[in-house]
CSV table of all heavy atoms in Angstrom, one decimal:
chain,number,residue,atom,x,y,z
T,121,ILE,N,118.0,7.3,-10.6
T,121,ILE,CA,118.1,8.8,-10.7
T,121,ILE,C,116.8,9.5,-10.3
T,121,ILE,O,116.8,10.4,-9.4
T,121,ILE,CB,118.5,9.2,-12.1
T,121,ILE,CG1,119.9,8.6,-12.4
T,121,ILE,CG2,118.6,10.7,-12.2
T,121,ILE,CD1,120.3,8.7,-13.9
T,122,TYR,N,115.7,9.0,-10.9
T,122,TYR,CA,114.4,9.7,-10.6
T,122,TYR,C,113.8,9.1,-9.3
T,122,TYR,O,113.1,9.8,-8.6
T,122,TYR,CB,113.5,9.5,-11.7
T,122,TYR,CG,113.9,10.2,-13.0
T,122,TYR,CD1,114.0,9.5,-14.2
T,122,TYR,CD2,114.2,11.5,-13.0
T,122,TYR,CE1,114.3,10.2,-15.4
T,122,TYR,CE2,114.6,12.2,-14.1
T,122,TYR,CZ,114.7,11.5,-15.3
T,122,TYR,OH,115.0,12.1,-16.4
T,123,GLY,N,113.9,7.8,-9.1
T,123,GLY,CA,113.2,7.1,-8.1
T,123,GLY,C,113.9,6.9,-6.7
T,123,GLY,O,113.3,6.3,-5.8
T,124,GLY,N,115.1,7.5,-6.6
T,124,GLY,CA,115.8,7.3,-5.3
T,124,GLY,C,115.2,7.9,-4.1
T,124,GLY,O,115.1,7.4,-3.0
T,125,LYS,N,114.6,9.1,-4.3
T,125,LYS,CA,113.9,9.8,-3.2
T,125,LYS,C,112.6,9.1,-2.9
T,125,LYS,O,112.1,9.2,-1.7
T,125,LYS,CB,113.7,11.3,-3.6
T,125,LYS,CG,115.1,12.0,-3.7
T,125,LYS,CD,114.9,13.4,-4.2
T,125,LYS,CE,116.2,14.0,-4.5
T,125,LYS,NZ,116.1,15.2,-5.3
T,126,VAL,N,111.9,8.6,-3.9
T,126,VAL,CA,110.6,7.9,-3.7
T,126,VAL,C,110.8,6.7,-2.8
T,126,VAL,O,110.0,6.4,-1.9
T,126,VAL,CB,110.0,7.6,-5.0
T,126,VAL,CG1,108.7,6.9,-4.8
T,126,VAL,CG2,109.8,8.9,-5.8
T,127,GLU,N,111.9,6.0,-3.0
T,127,GLU,CA,112.1,4.7,-2.2
T,127,GLU,C,112.2,5.0,-0.7
T,127,GLU,O,111.9,4.2,0.1
T,127,GLU,CB,113.3,4.0,-2.7
T,127,GLU,CG,113.1,3.4,-4.1
T,127,GLU,CD,114.3,2.6,-4.6
T,127,GLU,OE1,115.2,2.3,-3.8
T,127,GLU,OE2,114.4,2.4,-5.8
T,128,GLU,N,112.8,6.2,-0.4
T,128,GLU,CA,113.1,6.5,1.0
T,128,GLU,C,111.7,6.7,1.8
T,128,GLU,O,111.6,6.2,2.9
T,128,GLU,CB,113.9,7.7,1.2
T,128,GLU,CG,115.3,7.5,0.7
T,128,GLU,CD,116.1,8.9,0.6
T,128,GLU,OE1,115.5,9.9,1.0
T,128,GLU,OE2,117.2,8.8,0.1
T,129,LYS,N,110.8,7.3,1.1
T,129,LYS,CA,109.5,7.5,1.8
T,129,LYS,C,108.7,6.2,1.9
T,129,LYS,O,108.3,5.9,3.0
T,129,LYS,CB,108.6,8.5,0.9
T,129,LYS,CG,109.3,9.9,0.9
T,129,LYS,CD,108.5,10.9,0.1
T,129,LYS,CE,109.2,12.2,0.0
T,129,LYS,NZ,108.5,13.1,-0.8
T,130,ALA,N,108.5,5.5,0.8
T,130,ALA,CA,107.9,4.1,0.8
T,130,ALA,C,106.6,4.0,1.5
T,130,ALA,O,106.0,2.9,1.4
T,130,ALA,CB,108.9,3.1,1.3
T,131,ALA,N,106.1,5.0,2.2
T,131,ALA,CA,104.8,4.8,2.9
T,131,ALA,C,103.7,5.2,1.9
T,131,ALA,O,103.9,6.2,1.2
T,131,ALA,CB,104.7,5.7,4.1
T,132,PRO,N,102.7,4.5,1.7
T,132,PRO,CA,101.6,4.8,0.8
T,132,PRO,C,100.9,6.1,1.2
T,132,PRO,O,100.7,6.4,2.4
T,132,PRO,CB,100.6,3.7,0.8
T,132,PRO,CG,100.9,3.0,2.1
T,132,PRO,CD,102.3,3.3,2.5
T,133,ALA,N,100.6,6.9,0.2
T,133,ALA,CA,100.0,8.2,0.4
T,133,ALA,C,98.6,8.0,1.0
T,133,ALA,O,97.8,7.1,0.5
T,133,ALA,CB,99.9,9.0,-0.9
T,134,LYS,N,98.2,8.8,2.0
T,134,LYS,CA,96.9,8.7,2.5
T,134,LYS,C,95.8,9.3,1.6
T,134,LYS,O,96.1,10.3,1.0
T,134,LYS,CB,96.8,9.4,3.9
T,134,LYS,CG,97.5,8.7,5.0
T,134,LYS,CD,97.3,9.4,6.3
T,134,LYS,CE,98.0,8.7,7.4
T,134,LYS,NZ,97.8,9.4,8.7
T,135,LYS,N,94.7,8.7,1.5
T,135,LYS,CA,93.6,9.2,0.7
T,135,LYS,C,92.8,10.1,1.6
T,135,LYS,O,92.3,9.6,2.6
T,135,LYS,CB,92.8,8.1,0.1
T,135,LYS,CG,93.5,7.3,-0.9
T,135,LYS,CD,92.7,6.2,-1.5
T,135,LYS,CE,93.5,5.4,-2.5
T,135,LYS,NZ,92.7,4.3,-3.1
T,136,THR,N,92.7,11.4,1.2
T,136,THR,CA,91.9,12.3,2.0
T,136,THR,C,90.7,12.7,1.3
T,136,THR,O,90.6,12.7,0.1
T,136,THR,CB,92.8,13.5,2.4
T,136,THR,OG1,93.2,14.2,1.2
T,136,THR,CG2,94.0,13.1,3.2
T,137,ARG,N,89.7,13.2,2.1
T,137,ARG,CA,88.5,13.7,1.6
T,137,ARG,C,88.2,15.1,2.3
T,137,ARG,O,88.7,15.3,3.4
T,137,ARG,CB,87.3,12.8,1.9
T,137,ARG,CG,87.5,11.5,1.1
T,137,ARG,CD,86.3,10.5,1.5
T,137,ARG,NE,85.0,11.2,1.4
T,137,ARG,CZ,84.0,10.8,2.2
T,137,ARG,NH1,84.1,9.8,3.0
T,137,ARG,NH2,82.9,11.5,2.0
T,138,ARG,N,87.5,15.9,1.6
T,138,ARG,CA,87.2,17.2,2.2
T,138,ARG,C,86.4,17.1,3.4
T,138,ARG,O,86.5,17.9,4.3
T,138,ARG,CB,86.4,18.0,1.1
T,138,ARG,CG,87.2,18.2,-0.1
T,138,ARG,CD,86.4,19.0,-1.1
T,138,ARG,NE,86.8,20.4,-1.0
T,138,ARG,CZ,86.3,21.4,-1.6
T,138,ARG,NH1,85.2,21.2,-2.4
T,138,ARG,NH2,86.7,22.6,-1.5
T,139,ALA,N,85.6,16.0,3.6
T,139,ALA,CA,84.7,15.9,4.7
T,139,ALA,C,85.4,15.7,6.0
T,139,ALA,O,84.9,16.0,7.1
T,139,ALA,CB,83.7,14.8,4.5
T,140,GLY,N,86.7,15.3,6.0
T,140,GLY,CA,87.4,15.0,7.2
T,140,GLY,C,88.1,16.3,7.7
T,140,GLY,O,88.9,16.2,8.7
T,141,GLY,N,87.9,17.5,7.2
T,141,GLY,CA,88.6,18.6,7.6
T,141,GLY,C,88.4,19.0,9.0
T,141,GLY,O,89.3,19.4,9.8
T,142,ALA,N,87.1,19.0,9.5
T,142,ALA,CA,86.8,19.4,10.9
T,142,ALA,C,87.4,18.4,11.9
T,142,ALA,O,87.9,18.8,12.9
T,142,ALA,CB,85.3,19.5,11.0
T,143,LYS,N,87.3,17.2,11.6
T,143,LYS,CA,87.9,16.2,12.5
T,143,LYS,C,89.4,16.4,12.6
T,143,LYS,O,90.0,16.3,13.7
T,143,LYS,CB,87.6,14.8,11.9
T,143,LYS,CG,88.0,13.7,12.8
T,143,LYS,CD,87.7,12.3,12.3
T,143,LYS,CE,88.2,11.2,13.2
T,143,LYS,NZ,87.9,9.9,12.6
T,144,LYS,N,90.1,16.7,11.5
T,144,LYS,CA,91.5,16.8,11.5
T,144,LYS,C,91.9,18.0,12.3
T,144,LYS,O,92.8,18.0,13.1
T,144,LYS,CB,92.0,17.0,10.0
T,144,LYS,CG,93.5,17.1,9.9
T,144,LYS,CD,93.9,17.2,8.5
T,144,LYS,CE,95.4,17.3,8.3
T,144,LYS,NZ,95.8,17.4,6.9
T,145,LYS,N,91.1,19.1,12.2
T,145,LYS,CA,91.4,20.3,13.0
T,145,LYS,C,91.2,20.0,14.5
T,145,LYS,O,92.0,20.5,15.3
T,145,LYS,CB,90.5,21.5,12.6
T,145,LYS,CG,90.9,22.1,11.2
T,145,LYS,CD,89.9,23.2,10.8
T,145,LYS,CE,90.3,23.7,9.5
T,145,LYS,NZ,89.3,24.7,9.0
T,146,ALA,N,90.2,19.3,14.8
T,146,ALA,CA,90.0,18.9,16.2
T,146,ALA,C,91.1,18.1,16.8
T,146,ALA,O,91.6,18.3,17.9
T,146,ALA,CB,88.7,18.2,16.4
T,147,ASP,N,91.6,17.1,16.0
T,147,ASP,CA,92.8,16.3,16.4
T,147,ASP,C,94.0,17.2,16.6
T,147,ASP,O,94.8,17.0,17.5
T,147,ASP,CB,93.0,15.2,15.4
T,147,ASP,CG,91.9,14.2,15.4
T,147,ASP,OD1,91.2,14.1,16.4
T,147,ASP,OD2,91.8,13.4,14.3
T,148,GLU,N,94.3,18.1,15.7
T,148,GLU,CA,95.4,19.0,15.8
T,148,GLU,C,95.3,19.9,17.1
T,148,GLU,O,96.3,20.1,17.8
T,148,GLU,CB,95.6,19.9,14.6
T,148,GLU,CG,96.0,19.1,13.3
T,148,GLU,CD,96.1,20.0,12.1
T,148,GLU,OE1,95.8,21.2,12.2
T,148,GLU,OE2,96.4,19.5,11.0
T,149,ALA,N,94.1,20.4,17.4
T,149,ALA,CA,93.9,21.2,18.6
T,149,ALA,C,94.2,20.4,19.8
T,149,ALA,O,94.8,20.9,20.8
T,149,ALA,CB,92.5,21.7,18.6
T,150,ALA,N,93.7,19.1,19.8
T,150,ALA,CA,94.0,18.3,21.0
T,150,ALA,C,95.5,18.0,21.1
T,150,ALA,O,96.0,18.0,22.3
T,150,ALA,CB,93.2,17.0,20.8
T,151,ALA,N,96.2,17.8,20.0
T,151,ALA,CA,97.6,17.5,20.1
T,151,ALA,C,98.3,18.8,20.6
T,151,ALA,O,99.3,18.7,21.4
T,151,ALA,CB,98.1,17.1,18.7
T,152,ASN,N,97.9,19.9,20.2
T,152,ASN,CA,98.6,21.2,20.6
T,152,ASN,C,98.3,21.4,22.1
T,152,ASN,O,99.3,21.8,22.8
T,152,ASN,CB,98.0,22.4,19.9
T,152,ASN,CG,98.5,22.4,18.4
T,152,ASN,OD1,99.5,21.8,18.1
T,152,ASN,ND2,97.8,23.1,17.6
T,153,GLU,N,97.2,21.0,22.7
T,153,GLU,CA,96.9,21.2,24.1
T,153,GLU,C,97.8,20.3,24.9
T,153,GLU,O,98.3,20.6,25.9
T,153,GLU,CB,95.4,20.9,24.4
T,153,GLU,CG,94.5,21.9,23.9
T,153,GLU,CD,93.0,21.6,24.1
T,153,GLU,OE1,92.7,20.6,24.9
T,153,GLU,OE2,92.1,22.2,23.5
T,154,THR,N,98.0,19.0,24.4
T,154,THR,CA,98.8,18.1,25.1
T,154,THR,C,100.3,18.5,25.1
T,154,THR,O,101.0,18.4,26.1
T,154,THR,CB,98.7,16.7,24.6
T,154,THR,OG1,99.0,16.7,23.2
T,154,THR,CG2,97.3,16.1,24.7
T,155,GLU,N,100.7,19.2,24.0
T,155,GLU,CA,102.1,19.7,24.0
T,155,GLU,C,102.3,20.8,25.0
T,155,GLU,O,103.3,21.0,25.6
T,155,GLU,CB,102.4,20.1,22.5
T,155,GLU,CG,102.6,19.0,21.6
T,155,GLU,CD,102.8,19.5,20.2
T,155,GLU,OE1,103.0,20.7,20.0
T,155,GLU,OE2,102.9,18.7,19.2
T,156,GLU,N,101.2,21.7,25.1
T,156,GLU,CA,101.3,22.8,26.0
T,156,GLU,C,101.4,22.4,27.4
T,156,GLU,O,102.1,22.9,28.3
T,156,GLU,CB,100.1,23.8,25.8
T,156,GLU,CG,100.2,24.5,24.5
T,156,GLU,CD,98.9,25.3,24.2
T,156,GLU,OE1,98.0,25.3,25.1
T,156,GLU,OE2,98.8,25.9,23.1
T,157,LYS,N,100.6,21.3,27.8
T,157,LYS,CA,100.6,20.8,29.1
T,157,LYS,C,101.9,20.2,29.4
T,157,LYS,O,102.4,20.3,30.6
T,157,LYS,CB,99.5,19.8,29.3
T,157,LYS,CG,98.1,20.4,29.3
T,157,LYS,CD,97.0,19.3,29.5
T,157,LYS,CE,95.6,20.0,29.4
T,157,LYS,NZ,94.6,19.0,29.5
T,158,ALA,N,102.5,19.5,28.4
T,158,ALA,CA,103.8,18.9,28.6
T,158,ALA,C,104.9,19.9,28.8
T,158,ALA,O,105.8,19.7,29.6
T,158,ALA,CB,104.1,17.9,27.5
T,159,ALA,N,104.8,21.0,28.2
T,159,ALA,CA,105.8,22.1,28.3
T,159,ALA,C,105.7,22.8,29.6
T,159,ALA,O,106.7,23.3,30.2
T,159,ALA,CB,105.5,23.1,27.2
T,160,GLU,N,104.5,22.8,30.3
T,160,GLU,CA,104.4,23.5,31.6
T,160,GLU,C,105.0,22.6,32.6
T,160,GLU,O,105.8,22.6,33.4
T,160,GLU,CB,102.9,23.7,31.9
T,160,GLU,CG,102.3,24.7,31.0
T,160,GLU,CD,100.8,24.8,31.3
T,160,GLU,OE1,100.3,24.0,32.1
T,160,GLU,OE2,100.1,25.6,30.7
Side-chain angles (χ1 to χ4, degrees):
I121 297 168
Y122 295 129
K125 296 173 186 168
V126 176
E127 289 180 18
E128 293 171 6
K129 294 179 183 175
K134 289 186 178 180
K135 294 181 181 179
T136 59
R137 294 178 46 207
R138 297 179 98 187
K143 183 179 178 184
K144 186 177 178 183
K145 287 180 184 176
D147 290 341
E148 288 177 3
N152 288 338
E153 288 177 15
T154 55
E155 288 177 7
E156 289 173 5
K157 289 180 183 177
E160 293 176 356

